Amino acid sequence: MAKRCLRGNIRLLFLVVVIFNYLIVSDSMAFTRNDAQLWTAVMLKMHMSYDNYLYLGREFRFGNHCKEVIYRYTEGGVSFEKYEWVHIAMLYRYGTRKKDGVWEEESTPHLNVTFIKRTDSIFLSTRNRIEYEMLRKTKDIWRYRNKIIIGIPMKWNKKELRPYVADEFFIDFDQDCHNINQISGGIRFELVENFLADVFCLWQSRVDRNWESPDHVVGMNLELTF
């Protein structure tokens, strides 16, 4: 039975990946001002003590219509999840971003407070993040980010699925910097016990483009808990 469920989940994941690859190609052909991007991440969530976890993650982002890596980072930290309604995480991200053909280093510590509401029919969360982005070649940035997620728990092949929609906005405290808004939709599901997959589409618009010509992103995140 377990193998049959796993095969079913793998088929679902394969189907979603095929569809998203089609969307990437469609975006690349249909839009000239927009960038079609692919974001992939792997996260390890390690249990330390009662309701406390150690996080370690790695992400790559492919841009220029998915032809090259434009951003890569490693992130680690701790999360305190004693209460169901609120999670607190302190993380540190180190990454490099490609800008005008040159790689630029960045270091970003951030504090996250997420409020959560779960029922049998709906999942709601709002994540509040304060981050300090330290850049080697330009001035540092204080930033606030808020991400709201609305999900609907479902069952498929005796496994729980959670289709969701989300919106995240970025507010840079330095007015010379650009604000960003990200609207996304996807589905989160369990491949096997303690191994989650999240596949999504995301549209990223920026104030420096007058909120026009958003970047089109498809992505997949994997999370292993042990």
Side-chain angles (χ1 to χ4, degrees):
M1 178 63 72
K3 291 183 179 180
R4 189 156 51 245
C5 292
L6 175 59
R7 287 196 296 268
N9 287 336
I10 291 175
R11 285 196 295 268
L12 173 62
L13 179 61
F14 177 76
L15 177 61
V16 172
V17 170
V18 169
I19 293 173
F20 281 4
N21 274 280
Y22 171 77
L23 291 174
I24 290 176
V25 174
S26 298
D27 280 344
S28 299
M29 296 176 63
F31 299 95
T32 56
R33 295 177 60 196
N34 313 56
D35 189 15
Q37 300 182 10
L38 172 65
W39 297 0
T40 61
V42 176
M43 177 71 74
L44 299 179
K45 183 178 179 181
M46 294 164 279
H47 187 265
M48 295 191 302
S49 60
Y50 182 71
D51 293 327
N52 297 325
Y53 294 89
L54 177 67
Y55 276 86
L56 181 63
R58 180 73 168 162
E59 179 172 344
F60 291 90
R61 297 181 183 179
F62 298 83
N64 190 20
H65 300 288
C66 305
K67 296 177 183 177
E68 60 179 348
V69 177
I70 60 171
Y71 185 47
R72 57 199 178 197
Y73 73 81
T74 301
E75 186 173 64
V78 294
S79 177
F80 307 97
E81 304 178 7
K82 181 177 180 180
Y83 303 104
E84 283 192 4
W85 61 275
V86 61
H87 294 169
I88 299 174
M90 295 181 293
L91 301 168
Y92 179 85
R93 172 183 295 187
Y94 172 79
T96 53
R97 185 186 306 272
K98 196 172 188 179
K99 186 175 181 180
D100 298 326
V102 178
W103 287 101
E104 181 179 6
E105 295 182 18
E106 63 178 41
S107 300
T108 310
H110 53 94
L111 172 66
N112 304 268
V113 180
T114 305
F115 297 99
I116 301 168
K117 175 66 175 179
R118 288 187 178 94
T119 68
D120 292 338
S121 58
I122 197 168
F123 170 89
L124 301 172
S125 74
T126 174
R127 187 203 67 202
N128 301 274
R129 172 182 292 182
I130 296 290
E131 63 183 25
Y132 183 59
E133 186 176 77
M134 296 175 284
L135 305 171
R136 174 164 294 187
K137 297 183 180 180
T138 57
K139 57 185 175 182
D140 301 341
I141 302 170
W142 280 100
R143 180 183 294 119
Y144 170 72
R145 295 168 56 173
N146 176 260
K147 184 175 184 178
I148 298 173
I149 300 176
I150 302 175
I152 302 176
M154 300 174 59
K155 290 288 186 178
W156 184 83
N157 199 22
K158 298 183 179 181
K159 292 288 186 178
E160 182 176 306
L161 308 177
R162 195 178 76 201
Y164 67 87
V165 293
D167 181 73
E168 181 174 10
F169 61 85
F170 298 53
I171 298 177
D172 294 346
F173 297 144
D174 187 330
Q175 296 299 317
D176 293 333
C177 298
H178 301 141
N179 293 341
I180 299 172
N181 191 74
Q182 296 176 346
I183 298 174
S184 60
I187 185 168
R188 185 176 173 88
F189 58 96
E190 189 176 63
L191 283 171
V192 293
E193 186 176 3
N194 297 325
F195 190 30
L196 298 175
D198 179 11
V199 289
F200 61 90
C201 287
L202 180 147
W203 294 264
Q204 178 175 259
S205 53
R206 307 172 64 94
V207 69
D208 58 327
R209 301 178 189 169
N210 295 319
W211 304 112
E212 298 177 351
S213 301
D215 295 327
H216 294 252
V217 178
V218 295
M220 179 172 63
N221 300 328
L222 299 175
E223 181 182 302
L224 176 63
T225 301
F226 59 92

